[in-house]
Amino acid sequence: MTAGVLQLDNLSVRLRLPGGRFVSAVTGLSCTVRAGEVLALVGESGCGKSVLASTILGLLPGNAQVRGQVWLDDAAARTELLRAPEHELATRVRGRRIGLIPQSAGTHLTPVRTARSQLAEALAHHGSEGGGAEIASRVDELAQQVGLDPDDLYGYPHELSGGMTQRVVTALALAGNPLVLVADEPTAGLDRALVDHTVDLFRFVAGTGRAVLFITHDLAAAGRVADHLAVMYAGRLLELGPAREVLADPWHDYTRGLLAALPSGGLQPLPGHPPSLTELASGCAFHRRVPGECSGDPTLTWHGGRAVACR
Amino acid sequence: MGDAAARTKRTSPGRAGGPHETSAPADAAQRTGETAADEHGWIDAGRPWTRARRSRLRLSARQRLAVGIGVVIALVAYAVAVPIVAGFDERAVDLSASGMPPSWAQPFGTDMAGRDLFVRAAAGLRISLLIAGTCAILSTVLGVLVGVLAGGLGRWVDRIVMRLVDTVNAIPHLLLGIVIVALYRGNVIAIVASITLTHWAPVARLIRSEVLSLRQREFVDAAISGGAGRIWVIRRHFVPAIVPQAVVAAALLLPHAVWHESALSFLGLGLPPHRASLGTLLDEARESLLLGSWWTLVFPSLMLVAATLAIAACGAAWRDHVLPRRRSEELP
Amino acid sequence: MRSVTRADRRRAIGWMVLRRLVMMVPVVALTSVIVFVLAAASPFDPLAGYLGDRYLTAGADEQERLRGTLGLDDPWYAQYGQWVTTLLSGDLGTSRVYGQPVVDVLAERLPWTVLLAGTALALAIVVALCLGVWSAWRHGGMLDRLVAGLAHAVEGIPPFVVALAAIGIFALGLSWFPVAGLTEPGADVTFGQVVTHMALPASVLACSQVPWLLLHVRQSMIAALGEDYVTGARARGLPLPVIVLRHALPTALLPFVTLVGVRLPELVTGAILVESVFSWPGVADAVVRAAVEVDFALLAALTLLAAVAVLLGSLLADVLYAVLDPRVATDG
């Protein structure tokens, strides 16, 4: 087993609201993303999974507080990201060792500059040697890698389709040749063919020895590409294990419910709604929504290579 | 994989028990590259980009309104009371007291004709405020009339009015004011007209858009189709919507009118010298300044700036307080 | 295929310019009507303007005869038609104050105004940009609050007060700069002379424009720094100057371009006051003299000139906006 490149260790994130209340976005989350593997983090929208990407990259808003540790491990160094100074994150981590594919790709591109100019800029700042011609050829190469026609890059962001902007931000995330790729809902708003193309790209990226953290609400897409699957509900992990095993034999009621809601599972939606993350009561949030035998906070317990809560 | 599970059981490290409160920003820690955690291990995650910096000295709209009104009342009391108490006569010249610097007896000093500037500035402020107040009310009335007409009648009336508004906005206001005053020299009405005719346009535009949006709203349609009379609809729906807008508009126009009048007087196009406004005093200060009499500039300027800033603050605070929709931000 | 759309866009911008130029015609025409009607209704006798000093010596018969030949007894619209015809033939009339054709007055004075106002505007833009960007970057910090507070305060001080204060401090007190004029009395117009004489008026004029521009730059920069694409640029690990200058600033600057265009009337107003205080030999100073002496030909020409300049300025700003921002529609 290869070593973990990105380790989240008992990570909690909360956002302070006016009036002293808190949103508990992530609670006691631990997992490991390994080189050459795709870890898919799956959950309904509003379960706190998107905060995770911002946490890893140090891009949380000013009212956020964190607890626990996030370790970035590679041949060069072992860095604890939550306590790393901003300067180190800006000059050595973001874009270089961790690439981010942000949610809502369209708004993450500067509107008054062409996609090509932004891609060339990212390449130039991430150590691509040589002059303009060389960078231009690297741009074309990267574009082709993510499935873009290099000519499309001459468009301004508002001239590109949703699928095209998605691939542009993917190319931007790969420009610095990062060890870890964090993709935050990269398939939202794409049609099935583009979703498949995008996740296949993650497979390819992982195949080059990099680690991919694929955050999504789309269990089908996750199942297509993930080596490991983590299921998240109300800020906590409920199940974690090799994707094939978890999908074939889900242990947790919630995972079972998510599978049943898929077209292949009979389109039976889960009853009720995910809870609000403000003022979460202690105890198992899921089993307050769906009755079941459970007591106390959901904590993962390990059984062989898999872990599950509420058992 | 098992080690991850083991680690979840460990209590999280971090410098537990630090003296920092949760709310204390991690400023110092950021600078030294260290991170402070509170007793439960929470760390503020805001980075220099995103860290919320709250100003401790921020007054609410209500407080700003109170301060502004206080200053305005003090200035009005000064402008009204001082000339009466001092028995002031603009024409009284005492060359033996010419150009005296500030003293206890004459806190603002005297001008070149030996008149007490403390009294003269009060009289000037009174005239400035009187003219500006008249102009602000008149231009608001004109603007409301034109705006209601344009918004209410629509079609070609609206088109002509909007072209007129564009035209008035295309000529710099002071220039148009100068043209008017030049052609009707030396009377108060010309000054009032020059300010009124240059300041109504934004009010008209504001009121017009208010009327247009009211007309599009369903309850007005419903009232009309429900057989309500025109007068009733106007009283019930249009007056309550337009009156606060108009009052705020007048308050916001007032400092501009003060400014405009003093600029005209400063250029020598204002009132005759025996009815000096603050602008006239400043015009006279141009010459006495060359003789070193700084106080002839400083005190009338202070009055002018204090008056405009206080009134503007009142207007803005009141707008925020009364009209949270903030459409009146389009005003000058 | 994309190059075709770019060509289309250029053509669309061309059409926009043409459409806006056509729309300027009624506004300028209306301006001329307003100015003319004001003059026609004025109690001032245009014959006095025509005859100048000879007005008092000329007998009643001669005056009547002149009235007839000049068409002064015709209705105002006939006179207006005649006036416009001569204007369109390129004859702007003769300035009584300066005793030379209005065209010559403009040719002599316009370059100095353009020099002063252009320098001031450039200075104001540079200062507003630097301070505004920096202030937005340190949003909420001590220096940001200081800059914003100062801007609000300076915005409330009329330019003529700033001008007089500047003269009092820098020309009279410290003797760093001359008090007024274009050169020392009798000296030749040299580069050095003009620069030393322009330093104060240009700074004062810039000072009157900075606060408003600065506060707007700051506001749009604060908004831009919070946008997703700035977060995106940060997530890519780009260096700080690149993020601020190549991602946040370009989008924050777009509204700024139109703001500068909208701001032209204020620049003209400021120029009138500043040129008058510093006796700068530009057209704005001529406005005041023409007004004081009721020189209708010059006043009318200057008013029309200002209107055209303001309209062209806002057109230029809109074109620039459309060129810089590929998203802007050109059919507005």
Side-chain angles (χ1 to χ4, degrees):
Chain A
M1 216 179 253
T2 45
V5 176
L6 185 70
Q7 286 178 0
L8 314 187
D9 187 357
N10 201 19
L11 175 70
S12 300
V13 183
R14 62 179 187 180
L15 304 164
R16 197 188 307 117
L17 297 179
R21 296 188 308 152
F22 287 95
V23 174
S24 303
V26 177
T27 308
L29 191 145
S30 299
C31 65
T32 304
V33 195
R34 289 184 176 74
E37 285 187 4
V38 178
L39 172 77
L41 190 81
V42 184
E44 289 166 291
S45 31
C47 76
K49 58 193 189 311
S50 284
V51 170
L52 213 54
S54 311
T55 310
I56 292 168
L57 282 137
L59 297 174
L60 284 170
N63 61 339
Q65 292 184 324
V66 292
R67 191 163 67 172
Q69 285 141 333
V70 176
W71 290 100
L72 177 65
D73 248 324
D74 59 35
R78 183 172 155 83
T79 318
E80 204 284 296
L81 297 179
L82 299 184
R83 290 162 186 80
E86 170 68 17
H87 179 74
E88 184 175 356
L89 290 187
T91 55
R92 297 186 47 203
V93 175
R94 295 190 197 120
R96 292 168 177 79
R97 291 162 73 195
I98 305 180
L100 172 69
I101 301 177
Q103 202 172 4
S104 64
T107 62
H108 279 80
L109 292 173
T110 302
V112 292
R113 293 177 55 197
T114 62
R116 174 170 280 273
S117 108
Q118 298 185 50
L119 199 49
E121 174 192 74
L123 282 168
H125 285 287
H126 290 319
S128 277
E129 301 288 315
E134 213 153 317
I135 287 187
S137 75
R138 279 279 291 133
V139 169
D140 292 346
E141 197 181 306
L142 204 52
Q144 270 152 6
Q145 204 175 65
V146 298
L148 271 175
D149 178 354
D151 281 346
D152 288 340
L153 293 177
Y154 288 102
Y156 287 97
H158 74 282
E159 295 171 340
L160 303 177
S161 71
M164 270 145 72
T165 41
Q166 187 57 56
R167 279 171 279 175
V168 171
V169 294
T170 308
L172 281 168
L174 293 173
N177 199 18
L179 289 157
V180 182
L181 187 65
V182 177
D184 187 4
E185 292 283 10
T187 57
L190 301 186
D191 62 36
R192 198 28 75 177
L194 274 173
V195 169
D196 289 350
H197 181 273
T198 308
V199 296
D200 290 348
L201 185 66
F202 296 156
R203 182 75 267 156
F204 167 77
V205 169
T208 59
R210 285 174 276 197
V212 178
L213 175 58
F214 174 27
I215 300 172
T216 183
H217 69 278
D218 185 345
L219 188 57
R224 183 181 167 97
V225 68
D227 297 295
H228 283 83
L229 201 61
V231 180
M232 191 171 176
Y233 186 80
R236 291 172 185 273
L237 282 193
L238 297 183
E239 183 156 5
L240 176 63
R244 211 172 312 127
E245 292 176 35
V246 173
L247 292 174
D249 173 26
W251 286 354
H252 198 279
D253 297 340
Y254 181 54
T255 319
R256 229 170 278 136
L258 285 179
L259 279 170
L262 290 179
S264 55
L267 283 173
Q268 296 162 289
L270 273 165
H273 299 281
S276 147
L277 296 177
T278 14
E279 316 271 302
L280 268 182
S282 63
C284 179
F286 178 71
H287 285 109
R288 270 200 301 278
R289 174 174 168 187
V290 178
E293 278 176 42
C294 187
S295 63
D297 287 335
T299 337
L300 288 182
T301 48
W302 288 86
H303 310 271
R306 296 176 61 180
V308 68
C310 312
R311 272 247 181 134
Chain B
M1 272 238 173
D3 62 359
R7 221 179 274 138
T8 51
K9 300 224 169 63
R10 236 184 286 149
T11 49
S12 82
R15 269 169 291 278
H20 297 268
E21 292 291 324
T22 323
S23 59
D27 252 328
Q30 285 289 352
R31 241 172 275 130
T32 57
E34 288 179 20
T35 316
D38 72 356
E39 63 269 31
H40 301 294
W42 289 106
I43 307 167
D44 275 311
R47 303 250 163 203
W49 281 85
T50 51
R51 199 182 303 130
R53 277 181 258 201
R54 257 158 294 161
S55 158
R56 255 161 263 149
L57 228 170
R58 174 149 299 167
L59 303 179
S60 70
R62 188 182 282 243
Q63 286 166 317
R64 278 181 286 142
L65 188 60
V67 171
I69 287 178
V71 175
V72 170
I73 288 177
L75 284 172
V76 169
Y78 162 72
V80 173
V82 167
I84 295 174
V85 172
F88 178 59
D89 181 6
E90 269 281 353
R91 283 169 241 226
V93 172
D94 178 7
L95 289 177
S96 67
S98 161
M100 303 288 280
S103 63
W104 285 114
Q106 290 160 328
F108 290 3
T110 64
D111 65 7
M112 290 304 112
R115 288 169 290 201
D116 185 350
L117 273 173
F118 183 68
V119 185
R120 221 173 157 222
L125 179 61
R126 186 171 59 182
I127 288 185
S128 289
L129 288 178
L130 262 178
I131 294 182
T134 315
C135 294
I137 292 172
L138 286 180
S139 35
T140 306
V141 169
L142 184 61
V144 169
L145 282 180
V146 173
V148 168
L149 223 68
L153 297 178
R155 301 194 203 192
W156 59 270
V157 178
D158 188 34
R159 232 168 287 155
I160 289 179
V161 165
M162 289 325 284
R163 224 6 47 94
L164 199 62
V165 167
D166 285 347
T167 309
V168 171
N169 283 339
I171 314 173
H173 291 173
L174 185 63
L175 182 54
L176 186 55
I178 287 175
V179 171
I180 295 172
V181 175
L183 293 171
Y184 301 81
R185 200 55 181 293
N187 70 45
V188 185
I189 296 174
I191 296 171
V192 172
S194 110
I195 301 173
T196 305
L197 291 178
T198 48
H199 283 64
W200 60 272
V203 185
R205 194 189 286 257
L206 171 76
I207 296 296
R208 169 183 171 270
S209 64
E210 187 68 40
V211 170
L212 285 183
S213 83
L214 270 176
R215 274 174 46 144
Q216 279 167 357
R217 260 180 258 163
E218 284 159 15
F219 61 81
V220 174
D221 273 352
I224 291 173
S225 60
R230 231 163 225 279
I231 304 289
W232 186 86
V233 173
I234 290 173
R235 272 224 336 249
R236 180 74 181 73
H237 294 300
F238 281 66
V239 173
I242 286 171
V243 165
Q245 297 271 9
V247 176
V248 169
L252 288 174
L253 283 182
L254 194 53
H256 282 260
V258 172
W259 192 98
H260 203 108
E261 185 278 325
S262 52
L264 286 176
S265 298
F266 177 77
L267 292 173
L269 293 163
L271 293 166
H274 64 274
R275 266 190 283 175
S277 78
L278 286 176
T280 325
L281 295 189
L282 291 170
D283 187 22
E284 290 173 12
R286 286 158 91 164
E287 279 167 36
S288 44
L289 192 64
L290 297 175
L291 302 171
S293 310
W294 53 267
W295 55 91
T296 56
L297 169 66
V298 168
F299 294 109
S301 309
L302 273 181
M303 288 303 133
L304 181 61
V305 172
T308 47
L309 281 183
I311 297 169
C314 284
W318 204 56
R319 172 188 63 197
D320 296 350
H321 191 64
V322 179
L323 302 170
R325 277 183 303 147
R326 318 200 64 159
R327 183 172 286 138
S328 38
E329 268 190 350
E330 294 159 15
L331 282 171
Chain C
M1 180 179 160
R2 182 152 287 115
S3 62
V4 175
T5 63
R6 292 283 151 76
D8 283 350
R9 187 164 172 83
R10 269 196 292 279
R11 204 169 310 129
I13 292 177
W15 275 113
M16 181 184 87
V17 173
L18 205 65
R19 204 165 44 232
R20 290 281 301 268
L21 283 175
V22 171
M23 275 166 64
M24 272 173 63
V25 173
V27 173
V28 174
L30 200 52
T31 310
S32 69
V33 172
I34 290 174
V35 171
F36 193 83
V37 167
L38 282 173
S42 150
F44 185 79
D45 188 349
L47 202 57
Y50 182 77
L51 288 172
D53 292 338
R54 290 189 295 124
Y55 181 59
L56 296 175
T57 55
D61 297 350
E62 196 187 346
Q63 287 196 12
E64 274 314 306
R65 202 168 41 75
L66 267 172
R67 249 174 233 288
T69 42
L70 291 173
L72 292 178
D73 296 323
D74 296 347
W76 70 268
Y77 47 85
Q79 293 187 42
Y80 174 73
Q82 205 186 357
W83 181 60
V84 169
T85 320
T86 43
L87 276 190
L88 289 179
S89 70
D91 177 12
L92 299 179
T94 305
S95 160
R96 197 155 50 81
V97 179
Y98 295 99
Q100 59 190 122
V102 169
V103 180
D104 293 354
V105 176
L106 293 184
E108 204 171 280
R109 293 183 156 252
L110 196 56
W112 294 120
T113 294
V114 171
L115 177 68
L116 176 67
T119 312
L121 189 62
L123 197 63
I125 289 175
V126 169
V127 171
L129 271 182
C130 294
L131 281 181
V133 168
W134 182 61
S135 186
W137 167 239
R138 313 285 308 68
H139 178 47
M142 271 302 287
L143 287 159
D144 170 47
R145 266 180 279 164
L146 188 73
V147 166
L150 256 175
H152 278 297
V154 172
E155 201 176 20
I157 305 177
F160 51 90
V161 171
V162 179
L164 288 182
I167 288 181
I169 296 169
F170 297 107
L172 298 171
L174 299 169
S175 304
W176 286 357
F177 299 103
V179 172
L182 179 64
T183 59
E184 303 289 335
D188 287 335
V189 181
T190 60
F191 181 74
Q193 284 278 335
V194 172
V195 167
T196 47
H197 281 77
M198 199 173 66
L200 267 192
S203 311
V204 170
L205 190 51
C207 195
S208 68
Q209 305 301 313
V210 162
W212 194 82
L213 291 174
L214 185 151
L215 290 171
H216 272 91
V217 172
R218 175 173 168 272
Q219 208 50 52
S220 51
M221 196 65 190
I222 288 171
L225 285 173
E227 291 283 351
D228 276 352
Y229 49 80
V230 170
T231 313
R234 287 180 66 203
R236 265 171 261 152
L238 296 176
L240 181 61
V242 173
I243 299 175
V244 172
L245 298 179
R246 301 281 289 130
H247 292 270
L249 195 57
T251 40
L253 271 190
L254 289 173
F256 189 71
V257 175
T258 14
L259 286 183
V260 173
V262 170
R263 202 56 189 169
L264 269 183
E266 261 68 19
L267 190 67
V268 174
T269 298
I272 291 174
L273 294 165
V274 168
E275 285 194 3
S276 157
V277 173
F278 287 96
S279 313
W280 185 259
V283 284
D285 183 44
V287 167
V288 179
R289 265 200 78 186
V292 172
E293 315 244 341
V294 203
D295 185 346
F296 178 72
L298 185 54
L299 209 49
L302 289 172
T303 310
L304 287 179
L305 179 71
V308 171
V310 166
L311 291 169
L312 282 180
S314 85
L315 171 61
L316 188 69
D318 288 353
V319 170
L320 259 180
Y321 198 172
V323 169
L324 291 178
D325 190 339
R327 295 167 299 175
V328 168
T330 49
D331 46 15

